Amino acid sequence: MNKRELQKQQTRQNILATAEQLFAERGFLLTTIDDIAKAAGVAKGTVFVHFASRDELIYAVVDKLCHECDRLYEQMQGFNGDVAGILGIHLDILIQFECLYRQLIIERTHLPEQAQLRFLGMQSAISNYIWLVYCEQMQDGTVKQLEQALLFNTWLGLVHYYLMNGDLFAEVGRQANLLLTYKEKLLNHFMLLIQI
Amino acid sequence: MKTCIACGMPMRAKEDFAMGDENKDYCRYCARADGSMQSYEEKLDGMTEFVMATQGLERAVARKVAAGQLAELPAWKHREGE
């Protein structure tokens, strides 16, 4: 790669990282291309050289998040522990991307369709990893007979409720670590619901 | 580690591969009984069912999610007209 190409790639990464940070802080909808250009220290036109549209930039950020999560979700594939263990891994991964993930689930229906589909595709893989572990425990008779989608949706219902309403459960300025604070509580409660 | 070109599943163990053949680029879930790789339509139907089972999504939405997933994979990336 020559110097010019390297510089171009660095500029793209800089824009992407800046967009990711601003989306995580302020949300996708309130962040403008102007904001991103300014924070990244580039001209607005430069942003459009790398990303043809705002939608394309949003997709790139969501895609990057999903790739990073996918890499971590590999821990869930072939996991040998119990349901509490795999749900704990799920929370640990969300904790790493908590702010961006919160904005994603709050603003999902307003995001470009491709970005939504990318996110939903990832959720199916997670549901399946959890389900494989759950099935083993169902056979052992230690957890209740439940339907796969509802097990996952009930779990997300709990986790997403806390994430989306962070202002109700954490002091101002401490919402970024909400899941870390509530991890044990939510996990223990969910296990009480599903255990026999 | 290889990932299946048709569904994206990571293939770690020998039994993850179609017919247990580690030279294959697709997984056992993407193989037909005779070992050949499923068609796009077969895969789209299967992936749609998977999305419905895992998240309870309505069929038309699940199909869109499935098509979006497949579009990213090497086996289907350059399909004409999709």
Side-chain angles (χ1 to χ4, degrees), chain A residues 59 74 77 113 117-118 120-125 127-128 148-149 152-153, chain B residues 1 9-10 12 50-57 61 64-65 68-69 72:
Chain A
Y59 177 80
E74 283 180 18
Q77 197 195 23
E113 188 179 45
L117 296 178
R118 179 73 177 89
L120 291 168
M122 180 182 76
Q123 296 291 68
S124 271
S127 169
N128 199 48
Q148 178 175 9
F152 185 60
N153 290 349
Chain B
M1 182 192 57
M9 186 185 92
R12 296 166 192 283
F50 177 71
V51 173
M52 289 170 72
T54 47
Q55 295 187 74
L57 304 188
V61 181
K64 271 191 191 179
V65 174
Q69 290 283 93
E72 297 294 317

Side-chain angles (χ1 to χ4, degrees), chain A residues 95-110:
Chain A
I95 284 167
Q96 294 189 44
F97 305 100
E98 184 169 322
C99 293
L100 188 63
Y101 187 87
R102 173 185 288 116
Q103 304 294 2
L104 180 56
I105 58 173
I106 290 174
E107 298 180 349
R108 182 189 59 76
T109 55
H110 301 288

Side-chain angles (χ1 to χ4, degrees), chain A residues 123-147:
Chain A
Q123 296 291 68
S124 271
I126 301 162
S127 169
N128 199 48
Y129 291 145
I130 294 170
W131 182 244
L132 292 174
V133 175
Y134 194 85
C135 282
E136 280 185 29
Q137 269 191 253
M138 230 168 19
Q139 279 170 2
D140 296 343
T142 52
V143 291
K144 290 177 183 160
Q145 296 280 332
L146 296 175
E147 181 194 316

Side-chain angles (χ1 to χ4, degrees), chain A residues 52-90:
Chain A
S53 62
R54 194 167 175 277
D55 281 3
E56 200 177 299
L57 180 55
I58 290 175
Y59 177 80
V61 170
V62 173
D63 184 53
K64 182 167 175 275
L65 171 73
C66 291
H67 269 298
E68 285 168 4
C69 288
D70 278 343
R71 200 169 38 80
L72 294 167
Y73 288 134
E74 283 180 18
Q75 298 170 46
M76 294 172 95
Q77 197 195 23
F79 178 71
N80 281 326
D82 58 10
V83 176
I86 199 149
L87 293 177
I89 294 177
H90 186 211

Side-chain angles (χ1 to χ4, degrees), chain A residues 168-192:
Chain A
L168 306 182
F169 301 109
E171 291 169 35
V172 177
R174 301 203 53 168
Q175 289 169 34
N177 295 315
L178 189 89
L179 275 186
L180 195 59
T181 310
Y182 280 90
K183 181 185 167 185
E184 293 304 318
K185 194 178 176 77
L186 299 185
L187 199 52
N188 291 340
H189 171 70
F190 194 75
M191 291 311 297
L192 283 176

